[in-house]
Amino acid sequence: MIKIRNIHKSYEMGQSSLHVLKGIDLDIETGEMISIMGASGSGKSTLLNILGILDNYDEGEYVLDGMKIKRLNERKAAQLRNRKLGFVFQSFNLVSFKNAMENVALPLYYQNVPRKKRNTIAMEYLEKMGIEDWAHHLPNELSGGQKQRVAIARALITKPKVILADEPTGALDSVTSREVIDLLQEINNTGITIVIVTHEHDIAQRTARTVKITDGMITEIIKN
Ligand code: ADP
Ligand code: MG
């Protein structure tokens, strides 16, 4: 599903440049659930953003679901993200003035699905996440776990092939973290490929493989 070869990425800052990814090679199979671990600043989010076509890379090759991803214009990148990818973030990234249902429905708005239909579909996903009773609440009226369920429902609503989760439990207590990981595992069981960046060993151990990144390079891949 994902093939990357010799990916390099630098951030330019004035005259200086920061070399963040230094030749990453990785294959992720369709239906696999993998974790990425590494110290803060090692390049995990940079890698995930490249996989998510949220950022460009400087050198190397990235093939997503058989498509070469390189220097796409924003329209094409947005289209691919909307069709193939779902995102889950530590900070949930919900729209504060939209209720849970509207947040979940948002990706369908960008696919020009009419309001009534997208809200009906959003309700189905809220039900799957067990939070349909919270559909008409704003994000600030929800607990962290409920917010992350809304974010996961939003990620799923376009039927993505891959879910990219950047520290999805980073803002949650341990019980809620386990519930969120259980949910991601159930989603993975339906055949969706999942990549999780995490700091927590017990979460990493629940994925098939853990990729360790040190200073922009893969230093170890562990089968769990
Ligand atoms: P991680 O997710 O592993 O903590 P990141 O990928 O976020 O690491 O960051 C890797 C390095 O790149 C850090 O030194 C960070 O400060 C730097 N960095 C990240 N994003 C940018 C950016 N947009 N511009 C400049 N430097 C950045
Ligand atoms: Mg990060």
Side-chain angles (χ1 to χ4, degrees):
M1 177 60 63
I2 284 172
K3 177 178 133 183
I4 58 175
R5 288 291 176 275
N6 194 32
I7 292 280
H8 285 262
K9 169 78 182 175
S10 297
Y11 291 111
E12 307 302 329
M13 293 172 300
Q15 300 103 313
S16 69
S17 155
L18 184 66
H19 195 183
V20 175
L21 298 181
K22 303 170 180 169
I24 302 270
D25 296 313
L26 186 61
D27 289 284
I28 304 171
E29 301 297 321
T30 301
E32 200 181 5
M33 178 154 158
I34 79 153
S35 49
I36 298 174
M37 291 194 89
S40 180
S42 57
K44 304 179 301 294
S45 294
T46 300
L47 176 59
L48 211 68
N49 288 344
I50 290 170
L51 295 179
I53 329 179
L54 291 163
D55 205 351
N56 288 311
Y57 54 96
D58 303 322
E59 205 185 304
E61 187 185 36
Y62 173 24
V63 181
L64 169 65
D65 195 24
M67 274 195 74
K68 274 197 182 180
I69 308 294
K70 182 106 201 188
R71 294 190 214 289
L72 303 174
N73 63 42
E74 185 42 42
R75 205 177 76 92
K76 183 74 189 162
Q79 202 177 54
L80 275 173
R81 282 197 299 269
N82 203 280
R83 281 206 197 130
K84 293 192 189 286
L85 303 170
F87 296 90
V88 180
F89 300 96
Q90 174 173 9
S91 52
F92 320 116
N93 290 14
L94 301 176
V95 180
S96 61
F97 55 87
K98 289 187 181 293
N99 68 32
M101 177 186 71
E102 291 162 341
N103 267 282
V104 174
L106 202 55
L108 297 182
Y109 167 81
Y110 294 108
Q111 292 183 357
N112 299 314
V113 177
R115 183 195 304 269
K116 207 168 163 204
K117 185 167 180 203
R118 63 178 192 258
N119 285 345
T120 304
I121 300 171
M123 284 306 299
E124 287 167 20
Y125 279 87
L126 286 172
E127 267 170 50
K128 284 187 196 182
M129 298 299 125
I131 47 167
E132 68 273 22
D133 292 346
W134 295 88
H136 299 287
H137 287 258
L138 292 173
N140 67 11
E141 298 165 336
L142 304 177
S143 69
Q146 288 167 335
K147 279 188 248 196
Q148 204 55 304
R149 282 165 200 268
V150 171
I152 292 170
R154 179 183 58 185
L156 286 173
I157 200 164
T158 54
K159 301 187 189 300
K161 299 207 165 179
V162 181
I163 295 220
L164 300 170
D166 197 348
E167 303 194 34
T169 63
L172 305 176
D173 63 70
S174 59
V175 173
T176 311
S177 293
R178 198 168 318 125
E179 289 168 2
V180 164
I181 294 302
D182 287 343
L183 208 52
L184 289 173
Q185 208 139 38
E186 279 172 39
I187 292 161
N188 176 244
N189 289 341
T190 70
I192 297 177
T193 308
I194 301 189
V195 183
I196 306 179
V197 169
T198 182
H199 278 298
E200 291 149 87
H201 280 281
D202 50 336
I203 287 171
Q205 273 167 6
R206 293 187 48 187
T207 66
R209 289 189 297 156
T210 302
V211 176
K212 289 216 168 159
I213 296 194
T214 309
D215 196 17
M217 287 179 284
I218 292 181
T219 45
E220 201 180 358
I221 299 183
I222 303 159
K223 279 210 155 75
N224 292 312

